[in-house]
Amino acid sequence: MLSNSNTVSKLYMSVIDDVIESVRELFQDEGIEDRVLEDLRQLWESKVMQSKAVEGFMKGPINPNNFVLQLPANYAQTLHKPTASIVIPAGQTLQNFTTKANGSGALATFSLPPGVSYPVQIPAGVTLQTSSGHLYKVNVPVMVTQAPASNRILPQPIQHVMEPREQVAPQGAVASVAPTAVLQTIPPPAADTYTPAAPSTTLLHPSEPQPVPHQQHLFLGQGGALQPPGALQPQLTLPAVPQPPPLPTPAPVTPDSPGDDEFTLDGIEFSPQPLDMSQPSPFAAQLSSGQACGGQLGAGREEVGQDGGGSLPVNAGEAKAQLVEPAKLEMDLMRDFNYNDLEALQQLDGACDSTSEEEAEEEEVEGGAGADEDEFLGMINAEALKALQEAEGSSEDDGSSSDSDALDDAVEEVEEDPLNSGDDVSEQDVPDLFDTDNVVVCQYDKIHRSKNRWKFYLKDGVMCFGGKDYVFSKAVGEAEW
Amino acid sequence: MRPGRPAKLPVFSKDALRFASFAAIMAYQLYRNTTLGNSLQESLDELIQSQQITPQLALQVLLQFDKAINTALANRVRNRVNFRGSLNTYRFCDNVWTFVLNDVEFREVTDLVKVDKVKIVACDGKNTGSNAAE
């Protein structure tokens, strides 16, 4: 397929060029800087490259482990926030962790002047750029604080984001973004390369306990981990949680309950793949492990992490994986799981109309409780489903009490989709049928049918089979219906 | 026209001119749901999220993309593909054909691709100007 992929690469590049050039004037008319247009081009190209639909897009070595903080050209001290003890002005040079020459032209790197202390505020709009030119944008103002001898700097969602980033990089935690790198490298100005190897030293330098504000979180905005107005681009890598020790002192803002975590996780939107992280599965794996590591939030969190690990690889494999959603789904399932369990207990205790079917259902539900999340789901789907149906039927017949109704409703909501789909026998149906990865988008010249023999005369098409792209100017096909 | 006097041309505002130039030809938006189109939309969404561009501008970019991809496919691609399979479903609505085929082989001169399920979405290709003789 070499010839074809080459053709497709060239075609796509030419389309990208055409589009960018033709909207350049539009952008200028709107008063938008060229930098934004370049951003668009970079984003677009990197996404196309990542989708693996095409090869040959490589514009230079991808070095995900080297991050340099690049401030926007117009970045001034506009982001002063009262809580930040330091505002990073443009023009300051940060520790440059790049081990390779920066190939992307002039980069405004900045470093923390020696002696500066946390917290450091990274305002929104700051672009983090790797040496290879990939951009990571901070959309939400973040404040990086240092926790002495502790590893948690970030609120959970960011942790999730960051950890995979970090570990994807070959050098491990280097991938941590410059700001955190900032945090970290205050001590040794001489160090050019950041060695993530030392696990505990990841970005918090225990040897240099700064006079930390007791916050040991990275805040999103001011209010602490609530849903930020804009999506936090996952590229904002923050020191991850590979650090083992939990916070020595509970930070005032620590979310105390798993519910908070879930809440914050819900609020964070992962954008589609970060620009140069091209390994979705390790990413997902890291994410899950990162989640597991960040065990400060307690058991519920860890479960979520585990679950996230289970389900995320599947989702992350998609080009458009929204990482939060699987995690959120998992949490929802967790909630439901807990809820079902609870209700089941209630039923056991005192349901006046509990029938044998309901009891059987409860037993099955509880039996599933001990299993893994996935297995539990399977059990719910397969076994409790049937029992549910019976329970529903019986409860309706009995004119059941509100308790059983509530239980049924709750479980029913969870089961509704699988319930309905389980009823279908001929399931090879419309909803699933039209959902496929292999798509051809084209125009038809002529469609012909004779009895049940169809002939297709198509043109100007783009095909995508298993992620790989092809194009044609004419296509002729036959099929029998 | 009297000699020596320049003709008076109607004066359009810049916006009106821009609108006219872009509204002149609408190309099929069909190709937005491809790798290229989706990645463009995602990138634009990111820029909108970070408020670097307006949604209106993003729409203009997409319109421009439609034109560019339609032109590119019509002019810069010159290959032919054959395929054979079994037809699972067909649908014709609003002049758009949608087929789902099973066990299809796509054959080009150089190579062969087999897929067990493929969806084909085809807009009316008449009068779109790419009927060059092959």
Side-chain angles (χ1 to χ4, degrees), chain A residues 67-153:
Chain A
F67 280 71
V68 178
L69 187 69
Q70 178 197 40
L71 297 175
N74 57 355
Y75 174 67
Q77 314 220 0
T78 56
L79 300 168
H80 175 67
K81 293 267 165 75
T83 57
S85 71
I86 186 165
V87 174
I88 304 166
Q92 304 229 355
T93 51
L94 181 92
Q95 284 272 340
N96 188 339
F97 302 118
T98 57
T99 53
K100 289 176 107 166
N102 184 356
S104 67
L107 246 205
T109 65
F110 84 91
S111 66
L112 239 35
V116 81
S117 64
Y118 304 130
V120 170
Q121 170 122 33
I122 312 293
V126 166
T127 305
L128 311 169
Q129 185 162 19
T130 67
S131 59
S132 57
H134 297 275
L135 297 174
Y136 288 68
K137 197 148 276 177
V138 178
N139 286 333
V140 179
V142 288
M143 180 163 58
V144 184
T145 65
Q146 184 194 31
S150 87
N151 312 319
R152 279 196 54 197
I153 305 191

Side-chain angles (χ1 to χ4, degrees), chain A residues 164-331:
Chain A
R165 295 294 174 297
E166 290 196 78
Q167 307 195 7
V168 169
Q171 304 193 358
V174 168
S176 58
V177 167
T180 45
V182 172
L183 296 183
Q184 173 215 359
T185 45
I186 287 185
D192 263 37
T193 62
Y194 174 35
T195 52
S200 62
T201 57
T202 325
L203 308 174
L204 300 180
H205 229 276
S207 64
E208 277 215 350
Q210 300 283 345
V212 158
H214 297 294
Q215 322 150 334
Q216 291 153 355
H217 287 283
L218 179 66
F219 291 106
L220 287 181
Q222 295 296 323
L226 288 191
Q227 312 188 358
L232 174 69
Q233 296 296 342
Q235 296 82 1
L236 173 61
T237 61
L238 293 174
V241 182
Q243 337 287 330
L247 285 169
T249 61
V253 202
T254 310
D256 289 325
S257 68
D260 283 341
D261 295 321
E262 298 171 9
F263 182 62
T264 58
L265 270 171
D266 286 346
I268 301 300
E269 234 181 9
F270 282 55
S271 79
Q273 302 287 337
L275 295 184
D276 67 351
M277 295 300 174
S278 52
Q279 302 150 10
S281 4
F283 170 74
Q286 304 302 338
L287 186 62
S288 66
S289 67
Q291 286 179 352
C293 284
Q296 319 218 353
L297 297 180
R301 181 97 165 44
E302 300 221 353
E303 282 179 57
V304 174
Q306 298 291 337
D307 301 330
S311 69
L312 276 176
V314 174
N315 291 306
E318 303 171 14
K320 298 181 201 162
Q322 292 273 338
L323 290 169
V324 173
E325 312 220 279
K328 180 168 123 177
L329 269 176
E330 287 300 323
M331 290 185 293

Side-chain angles (χ1 to χ4, degrees), chain A residues 14 18 47 444 459-460 480, chain B residues 31 46 76 87 123 125 130:
Chain A
S14 71
D18 282 348
K47 283 184 206 295
Y444 62 87
K459 69 177 184 186
D460 296 343
E480 266 191 37
Chain B
Y31 301 100
E46 284 179 25
R76 285 184 224 142
L87 185 63
C123 290
S130 78

